[in-house]
Amino acid sequence: MFAKVTTMKLAHKAVAATLMCGVFALGMTGVASAATGAVAAPAATTHLSCARAPKALTRISKIEGAIGRRLPKWQAAEKKATAAGHTTRAGRIETRIHKLQKIDTKVGALAKKINAKCPVGTSGTGSTTAS
């Protein structure tokens, strides 16, 4: 039994040492990437491109349609659960409803932003003259 315990302790120490070496190695990499990460951060932000506007607006309309179909169902389910006395279930459904409404608000704001920058009449290709 003593040999088994000693072997287990050695195995645990070996695993811990390996993990610590990995943490230190990643820590040094993290510091190096943090120094260069500040430069790369602005490139990671998305910008609004009128070339992609029609596709984005199509996707937004699909999302709004799905939310429009789901929201009344969830509201009816919440009302039914509340009437039946299932307060926990009604609370969970209410949380889902709030999430859907939040998504709908964000998507609507994005659609307004896209429509403000890229009017509906543009094709999004950049050049409308015939050569």
Side-chain angles (χ1 to χ4, degrees):
M1 179 165 172
F2 180 71
K4 192 177 205 181
V5 172
T6 307
T7 307
M8 290 300 289
K9 283 186 180 181
L10 288 175
H12 284 259
K13 286 182 182 180
V15 170
T18 304
L19 288 174
M20 291 304 291
C21 290
V23 168
F24 287 131
L26 289 177
M28 294 301 173
T29 306
V31 171
S33 67
T36 60
V39 176
T45 59
T46 60
H47 65 279
L48 187 60
S49 171
C50 289
R52 298 182 342 189
K55 184 176 180 181
L57 289 173
T58 302
R59 191 166 182 197
I60 287 172
S61 66
K62 286 181 183 179
I63 292 169
E64 287 176 337
I67 290 173
R69 286 187 306 271
R70 290 179 183 155
L71 199 56
K73 291 177 184 178
W74 284 114
Q75 289 169 340
E78 180 190 18
K79 188 175 182 180
K80 184 178 177 182
T82 304
H86 301 292
T87 56
T88 305
R89 177 182 275 174
R92 289 179 184 151
I93 294 171
E94 183 180 3
T95 303
R96 290 178 186 169
I97 290 171
H98 288 300
K99 286 180 183 180
L100 281 177
Q101 290 171 340
K102 188 175 179 181
I103 292 169
D104 192 33
T105 303
K106 286 183 178 183
V107 166
L110 181 61
K112 285 181 184 177
K113 183 178 176 183
I114 291 171
N115 285 327
K117 182 161 180 168
C118 306
V120 178
T122 61
S123 63
T125 59
S127 176
T128 57
T129 59
S131 297

